[in-house]
Amino acid sequence: MRRPGGWWRTKSTPEKVETYTRWSFHFFGVIEVFALGVTAYGRTGAGLATVLCLLVTVHAAACMVVSSRALDWTRGRRSQPVRLMWALVVVSAAVSVTAVGIAERGPAGEVETAAGSVYGGVLCYAAGVITLGVRGWRRRVAVVGAFAVGAGLLTFPLEMPLLASVVLAGLVMVTGGFLAVTSIFSLWLLNAVYALDDAKETRARLAVAEERLRFGRDLHDVMGRNLAVIALKSELAVQLARRGRPEAVEQMIEVQRIAQESQREVRDVVRGYREAALEVELAGARGVLSAAGIVSEVTGETAGLPAEVQSALGWVVREATTNVLRHGDAKKVAVRVRMSEGRVVLTVENDGVAETTGDGPPAGPGGSGLSGLRERLSAVDGTLEAGPVGRGVFRLTAEVPLPAATAGAALEVAS
């Protein structure tokens, strides 16, 4: 059963920012209803206030739909909501004209209060929302300016003084411009978060590609020369064999020796590629986490540990760091290495636990995951435990027994 708030924990950081941005736009609509519609009940009679509140509610709902579709368009998921934006313009004009009519025919004293607030308010909100659906500062300024000019022109049926009309148009320009700038900045921030997340993924792919290039270069250096010698020796052996020369046997023995030597060198390259030195992995984890803006704390000594133990624990550090970067939203990671009763204990703890299933966080890019780490640790009689230990805290603990001689030497180094 999913825990409360699990839908939020499963989201990535960009998705969380997008959800926050989307609901912020919706909250603008809620503010519009309360600021323009609900407050009308304190300024005029119940019947007129109800009409105004319903008009504002319809307009706020249209603003919510347009802002949501515009956000999807900005992210490239939908086409530009041109029809919806024009529909919002029509709704805004209709609400404003109705407010003008109420101001003309309503009871005296209500022109400057309830109907006037609705008249100017809906135009400000509409101007701010429609700018989300266009690109370029010129077009956005044109949208806000058009609403400001329209606000001034619609005041002529009220026979308002020219100065009052200009002031009202200026208020719509300033307020609508402020809402537009706020909304556009929110979209810019959302796009920046997605760009940073894409950059992090690109950096990870480049790191993998660089490692593959290194591995391919090492294999080329090892195999290229040996294969060239084998080809030459084999050709020489063929020529000698055709002439019935006994030296052909010696050449084939040399070919066999070079082939066996090549096999050994390839195994050495692969072994070096697969092994993970603990000290190197700790330093690499510290650098990667710092580059990702995560505070890292690495403590403990690794001197004197057997190579197989360092390799197994190095993989734990590598996989744990990968899971923190890919599947959590951590702000701080603590890595500790300590000796305890003839065992070396590695603990990786972070405060960015995400919703998980199975036996822990999802597997890393290599597909190892926690099950793969357990297999590596079992080769050195080690154990692995992982799981949440508090609110938002995930801890991974690996323990590996040490040989008696190594344990004694490690204790002396630690002391």
Side-chain angles (χ1 to χ4, degrees):
M1 182 177 179
R2 178 172 292 183
R3 294 178 297 175
W7 67 275
W8 178 260
R9 296 189 185 93
T10 57
K11 291 180 177 292
S12 63
T13 298
E15 290 173 343
K16 290 178 180 178
V17 176
E18 180 178 347
T19 301
Y20 170 79
T21 303
R22 190 182 301 274
W23 283 101
S24 296
F25 293 155
H26 292 170
F27 188 65
F28 284 162
V30 175
I31 294 176
E32 179 183 1
V33 172
F34 278 90
L36 304 179
V38 176
T39 56
Y41 285 94
R43 300 176 179 177
T44 184
L48 183 58
T50 300
V51 173
L52 292 174
C53 188
L54 289 175
L55 290 174
V56 171
T57 301
V58 171
H59 185 267
C63 288
M64 290 181 184
V65 174
V66 172
S67 62
S68 182
R69 294 296 179 87
L71 191 152
D72 290 336
W73 168 67
T74 303
R75 294 304 309 153
R77 303 190 189 105
R78 293 178 181 269
S79 59
Q80 187 178 16
V82 178
R83 293 183 179 179
L84 285 176
M85 289 191 295
W86 279 111
L88 179 58
V89 172
V90 173
V91 171
S92 301
V95 173
S96 299
V97 170
T98 304
V100 170
I102 292 175
E104 281 187 323
R105 297 178 175 81
E110 297 178 1
V111 176
E112 297 82 4
T113 55
S117 298
V118 171
Y119 170 75
V122 295
L123 295 177
C124 293
Y125 277 100
V129 169
I130 290 180
T131 54
L132 294 173
V134 295
R135 287 196 175 101
W137 284 105
R138 293 183 179 179
R139 294 181 180 179
R140 289 162 178 164
V141 171
V143 168
V144 177
F147 273 90
V149 172
L153 294 177
L154 286 176
T155 59
F156 284 103
L158 296 177
E159 298 181 356
M160 291 180 61
L162 179 60
L163 180 60
S165 299
V166 173
V167 171
L168 180 59
L171 289 175
V172 172
M173 172 71 78
V174 173
T175 307
F178 174 76
L179 292 175
V181 170
T182 303
S183 302
I184 293 169
F185 178 77
S186 298
L187 285 183
W188 174 84
L189 182 62
L190 174 62
N191 291 329
V193 171
Y194 270 106
L196 289 174
D197 188 68
D198 292 340
K200 184 172 71 173
E201 292 293 332
T202 302
R203 183 177 59 187
R205 289 194 296 268
L206 288 175
V208 173
E210 183 179 356
E211 185 65 14
R212 288 176 177 172
L213 287 174
R214 185 195 68 81
F215 184 60
R217 184 172 60 251
D218 291 346
L219 280 180
H220 177 270
D221 293 342
V222 169
M223 297 299 297
R225 176 181 57 84
N226 290 346
L227 289 176
V229 174
I230 289 174
L232 290 174
K233 292 284 186 180
S234 299
E235 184 178 355
L236 178 58
V238 170
Q239 296 296 331
L240 292 174
R242 287 176 177 175
R243 298 175 185 177
R245 301 283 296 274
E247 292 88 349
V249 176
E250 296 178 0
Q251 294 298 326
M252 290 308 301
I253 292 175
E254 183 67 12
V255 168
Q256 182 183 26
R257 185 191 65 78
I258 296 174
Q260 292 173 348
E261 182 69 15
S262 299
Q263 288 180 336
R264 184 188 62 78
E265 291 180 352
V266 169
R267 284 195 297 268
D268 291 340
V269 171
V270 174
R271 186 182 302 111
Y273 179 75
R274 289 181 176 177
E275 288 181 354
L278 180 56
E279 188 66 30
V280 174
E281 293 300 328
L282 290 175
R286 186 187 295 110
V288 171
L289 292 173
S290 299
I294 301 174
V295 178
S296 59
E297 177 185 352
V298 181
T299 58
E301 294 291 337
T302 61
L305 296 178
E308 61 273 12
V309 173
Q310 290 210 33
S311 178
L313 294 180
W315 272 102
V316 174
V317 174
R318 181 183 298 181
E319 290 292 339
T321 304
T322 300
N323 285 338
V324 169
L325 293 175
R326 285 183 172 270
H327 309 297
D329 191 17
K331 301 296 185 296
K332 182 177 180 181
V333 176
V335 182
R336 299 181 182 89
V337 181
R338 60 185 176 87
M339 307 297 173
S340 176
E341 299 178 355
R343 303 175 69 86
V344 57
V345 181
L346 171 67
T347 303
V348 182
E349 187 174 292
N350 72 86
D351 60 356
V353 63
E355 190 75 14
T356 58
T357 57
D359 58 357
S368 297
L370 297 185
S371 58
L373 292 180
R374 290 191 174 97
E375 292 178 2
R376 292 182 182 275
L377 289 172
S378 64
V380 290
D381 297 328
T383 59
L384 180 71
E385 294 182 1
V389 293
R391 186 175 180 83
V393 178
F394 190 90
R395 179 184 297 165
L396 185 147
T397 303
E399 296 188 12
V400 178
L402 295 173
T406 303
L411 289 174
E412 289 180 2
V413 172
S415 61

